Amino acid sequence: MNVHPMHPFLTRAASVAAGVAAAVPAEQPLDARTPCTDFDARALVNHWVLYTSHGLEHRARRTELPQELIERDFTADAEWRSAYAAQLDRAVAAWAEPAAWEGDVDLGGSPMPAVGIARMLVLELLLHGWDVARAVGGEIEVDEELASVVLEIVEENAELYRQYEGFAGAVALPEDASAWDRALAASGRDPRWKA
C-alpha cells in the first residue's frame, strides 16, 4: 500500500502527543491555567483528545463525531491517557488508507481538501500537545524535521487562523530560535510560557 508522504509525520505527531498524555501525572489536578486562555487544563485536554484522536479518525472516514463524544469528559476516566493512545493508533491507521487523502472532508458545510485537514490535525496534535505539557509543568519533544513541517504549516495558515481567532498575534523571538520555537511563536504562543 502506498501511504501519503504526510502520513509518517502524522504518525510521529500522534506518537509525541501520546507521550505528552502519558506524562500527565495521575495526581495532577486539571484546574490549572493553560497557554490557551479560553481553556483550563481539563477543558484543554478534553478538546485535544476529542479532536486529535476521535476527530482524526472520523475525518479520515468522512463520518460525523457523535454527540456523545462531543459531550464526554474524557478526563473522568482514570485510564484516559492509555485510551487516548489507543484511539490515536486507530486514527493513524485510518489515515494509512490512500482513500483517506483523496477529495475533500466536509467540516459542517465547509469542504476542505483531506490533505489540508491532516496537516491541520498535525498542528492540533503538537501545538495543543505543547499547551497540555506546559499547563501541567511537563515537556514535549519534537524532532527538528517534524518541527520544520509544523513551522511550514503554521506559516501557511497563520493569517487565516488569526482571522478566526485560532491563533494570537506572533511572538517575537531571537533570530537563532529553533524551528519548534518559531512554530510556537508564529502560532501566537510564547515558548517561554510557564504554568
Side-chain angles (χ1 to χ4, degrees):
M1 182 188 326
N2 291 328
V3 298
H4 191 278
M6 194 67 199
H7 188 263
F9 294 108
L10 186 63
T11 303
R12 283 156 62 185
S15 177
V16 170
V20 168
V24 175
E27 69 281 2
Q28 179 83 38
L30 294 176
D31 56 358
R33 67 188 190 95
T34 75
C36 299
T37 54
D38 292 341
F39 294 132
D40 67 5
R42 183 177 313 282
L44 174 61
V45 168
N46 279 317
H47 172 88
W48 183 53
V49 169
L50 175 66
Y51 289 104
T52 65
S53 63
H54 297 283
L56 186 62
E57 181 181 11
H58 281 271
R59 300 293 186 239
R61 301 193 188 288
R62 311 301 198 269
T63 53
E64 286 192 29
L65 276 168
Q67 194 63 30
E68 181 275 323
L69 284 178
I70 293 169
E71 295 171 359
R72 184 184 299 177
D73 177 3
F74 297 98
T75 67
D77 177 2
E79 303 301 319
W80 72 265
R81 298 157 189 80
S82 57
Y84 176 54
Q87 179 56 39
L88 281 170
D89 287 345
R90 286 189 287 274
V92 167
W95 281 94
E97 297 294 330
W101 298 87
E102 296 169 2
D104 291 342
V105 175
D106 185 6
L107 298 178
S110 302
M112 185 172 174
V115 174
I117 291 288
R119 288 168 67 83
M120 180 180 76
L121 285 162
V122 167
L123 292 190
E124 286 277 311
L125 282 158
L126 295 177
L127 295 180
H128 278 325
W130 179 85
D131 295 332
V132 170
R134 280 299 162 94
V136 300
E139 295 295 333
I140 182 171
E141 297 294 331
V142 180
D143 69 72
E144 195 67 19
E145 185 184 30
L146 184 55
S148 294
V149 170
V150 173
L151 176 59
E152 175 187 302
I153 300 169
V154 168
E155 289 179 342
E156 281 175 8
N157 295 284
E159 290 314 310
L160 177 65
Y161 281 28
R162 273 190 256 284
Q163 286 177 28
Y164 294 95
E165 299 182 358
F167 285 171
V171 173
L173 288 182
E175 287 184 13
D176 61 352
S178 68
W180 176 240
D181 281 356
R182 292 192 341 259
L184 291 170
S187 76
R189 290 164 168 83
D190 186 342
R192 298 154 293 205
W193 191 95
K194 300 276 189 202

